[in-house]
Amino acid sequence: MQFSKFRSGVPRTARPPGRFPGLRQLLFAHSLSQAGFVVLNLAMPLLAATSLRATPFQVSLVSASQTVAFLLIGLPVGVWVDRMRKRPTMIVADLVRAAVLTAVPVLWMLDALTVTHVCAVAFVVGLATVFFDVADQSYLPHLVGSKGLVTANSRLVVVDQTAAVAGPGVAGLIVQAITAPLAVVVSAFAYVGSALCVARIEDRRPEAVDRGPREPLGRSVLRGVRYLWDHPVLRWLVACSTTMTFCWSMGYGMLLVLLAQDLGVSAVTIGLLFTAGGVGGLCATMLVRPIVERLGDGRAVVLSVTLTAPCTLLAGLAESGARLAFVVCAQFAFAAGLVVYNVAQVSYRQRTVPTNLLGRVNATVRFFAWGARPLGMLLGGVLAEFHGARSAVWAGAVGTALASLWLLCSPLRGMRVLARPSSDSDSSVTKEVL
């Protein structure tokens, strides 16, 4: 495959691109959806670990249930989303998530809530989240165009990190003051608000929908997988993302168990500690555009992982008292690096992949990167059962720190700019997979 030559880095913009119709509503929807996810990410495992007194492995099952849908249906969802209008898909997904979550407080008030119920609710919410996330990423290029992607993704990351800052703290306060099931209600309301915001988007142009002949699902899925596998840049990015997600999930889930059960840290304090990641990410959003423009997206991707992923090793040093600051440092640094990494590589993917394959490629990336999350959490739970939660935290941190080897041992190491296939080459690749 030939690469087009760039004289300089990512095109510089003296000021943000013009206003994009509907982007503000999408930002509000994205922020509410992310807030709901962040609250659930802490409230559901805490509900199992405290109110239900679950074992470490049972806690890992709850955490894994939240994202296992990416592994089970992540690939076909890309095909389905390519064939559907994205905006209605997001609305329905939000409403399904809100409706299902109401079962948790109802069962809790009836004194019938079990770990099995929590896992089932988390699984259904995860199914709807797969549809929402794939449709969300595939809808953004339609809304802002290729030239507005870095700016739009930077703004989306701002709202992501704002939710990450507020979410754990709010969830911790609610769990501490009113019990964990009511933190789930907060997420349900957030998803309803997200659906309303998406419904208010004024879209004056018809969405790009794959209207081609309906071929067998397996063959259609394979197109997205083959495109990703044959792409000389994207495949390395996916390998790095998958490794980081798998390993950090292994340690992250058991870090909560270490703090809540082994060290006796209160829910409020745990929420505040986990807020550090959101603060780090929010700080990084202020610098991500100039970093990407000055270094080039290639260097930004490699350096963001290489310099910050090893900081996760600090989490293994956590103890009661002042040494809880190690958790703060680990979360802050890693989240800041992830913001730069994600903005650069997601924007590159959105402007590089052909529109008729974007849903499938996004779904394939989510299948590997997010599908690794429940597997990592389950492995962390097994390690914690036999060797203790701290050992699982250490194992996850070591693996996360080594994830940068995928980039350092790949052609990306020497790229100032993530190369985009030339028009001729791009056409040939598209024809090959089509």
Side-chain angles (χ1 to χ4, degrees):
M1 180 183 293
Q2 299 287 327
F3 292 118
S4 57
K5 297 180 180 180
F6 287 73
R7 297 181 184 177
S8 58
V10 175
R12 298 178 62 86
T13 53
R15 59 183 182 276
R19 296 167 61 91
F20 302 109
L23 180 58
R24 178 176 297 181
Q25 286 77 16
L26 184 63
L27 289 172
F28 282 134
H30 194 86
S31 63
L32 288 169
S33 178
Q34 185 65 14
F37 175 81
V38 170
V39 171
L40 281 183
N41 201 36
L42 182 67
M44 296 290 257
L46 268 181
L47 171 62
T50 56
S51 300
L52 302 180
R53 304 303 302 171
T55 66
F57 183 70
Q58 288 176 322
V59 173
S60 72
L61 282 176
V62 172
S63 298
S65 298
Q66 293 180 284
T67 53
V68 71
F70 285 95
L71 190 62
L72 298 179
I73 65 167
L75 292 177
V77 164
V79 178
W80 297 328
V81 168
D82 277 339
R83 296 173 178 175
M84 298 185 294
R85 294 172 60 209
K86 280 67 173 178
R87 193 161 67 97
T89 300
M90 289 187 281
I91 295 172
V92 172
D94 271 332
L95 295 178
V96 168
R97 291 190 287 190
V100 172
L101 285 174
T102 59
V104 173
V106 170
L107 290 172
W108 177 71
M109 287 187 290
L110 295 174
D111 198 25
L113 188 65
T114 66
V115 173
T116 301
H117 292 136
V118 176
C119 288
V121 169
F123 176 72
V124 176
V125 171
L127 290 175
T129 299
V130 176
F131 280 91
F132 183 92
D133 286 358
V134 173
D136 184 23
Q137 282 198 342
S138 302
Y139 184 63
L140 185 62
H142 163 77
L143 202 61
V144 303
S146 60
K147 293 182 179 179
L149 284 173
V150 172
T151 298
N153 278 316
S154 298
R155 294 176 184 174
L156 287 172
V157 169
V158 170
V159 298
D160 282 351
Q161 297 308 315
T162 302
V165 169
V170 171
L173 286 171
I174 294 176
V175 170
Q176 184 76 18
I178 317 177
T179 67
L182 294 183
V184 175
V185 177
V186 173
S187 292
F189 279 109
Y191 290 136
V192 171
S194 174
L196 293 175
C197 289
V198 175
R200 293 186 60 190
I201 295 177
E202 296 182 6
D203 193 350
R204 298 181 177 88
R205 296 184 298 121
E207 293 181 34
V209 179
D210 186 359
R211 299 297 187 185
R214 296 297 175 88
E215 61 186 354
L217 180 63
R219 183 179 176 184
S220 190
V221 167
L222 185 60
R223 290 182 179 178
V225 176
R226 287 185 59 192
Y227 183 91
L228 192 65
W229 178 258
D230 291 339
H231 200 287
V233 173
L234 291 177
R235 63 187 179 199
W236 295 103
L237 295 174
V238 172
C240 178
S241 299
T242 303
T243 303
M244 282 197 297
T245 303
F246 178 83
C247 295
W248 179 235
S249 297
M250 186 195 317
Y252 182 88
M254 292 304 101
L255 178 60
L256 189 147
V257 174
L258 173 66
L259 295 172
Q261 295 185 350
D262 295 0
L263 302 182
V265 179
S266 68
V268 172
T269 303
I270 292 174
L272 293 175
L273 291 173
F274 282 29
T275 295
V279 174
L282 190 59
C283 292
T285 60
M286 303 175 187
L287 302 172
V288 61
R289 269 190 67 219
I291 287 175
V292 171
E293 289 181 344
R294 186 172 183 82
L295 297 180
D297 52 2
R299 289 179 183 172
V301 161
V302 175
L303 291 176
S304 62
V305 177
T306 305
L307 297 179
T308 63
C311 294
T312 58
L313 293 166
L314 295 172
L317 302 174
E319 292 287 356
S320 299
R323 290 183 66 175
L324 289 175
F326 286 121
V327 177
V328 174
C329 295
Q331 300 254 21
F332 183 95
F334 186 51
L338 277 182
V339 166
V340 178
Y341 173 79
N342 283 329
V343 168
Q345 60 100 5
V346 170
S347 298
Y348 170 74
R349 187 197 324 148
Q350 288 173 330
R351 69 173 182 265
T352 300
V353 179
T355 302
N356 63 324
L357 287 174
L358 186 57
R360 274 166 279 188
V361 172
N362 283 337
T364 304
V365 172
R366 291 270 172 164
F367 170 79
F368 287 107
W370 282 72
R373 184 172 180 174
L375 299 179
M377 288 177 173
L378 290 175
L379 180 57
V382 172
L383 288 175
E385 286 283 349
F386 291 97
H387 302 288
R390 189 180 299 276
S391 297
V393 172
W394 275 114
V398 170
T400 303
L402 296 175
S404 61
L405 292 177
W406 286 109
L407 305 180
L408 294 174
C409 297
S410 74
L412 277 69
R413 180 185 57 187
M415 291 183 182
R416 183 178 187 275
V417 176
L418 295 177
R420 181 174 181 175
S422 63
S423 56
D424 293 340
S425 179
D426 188 44
S427 300
S428 64
V429 173
T430 304
K431 291 177 181 177
E432 180 184 348
V433 297
L434 292 179

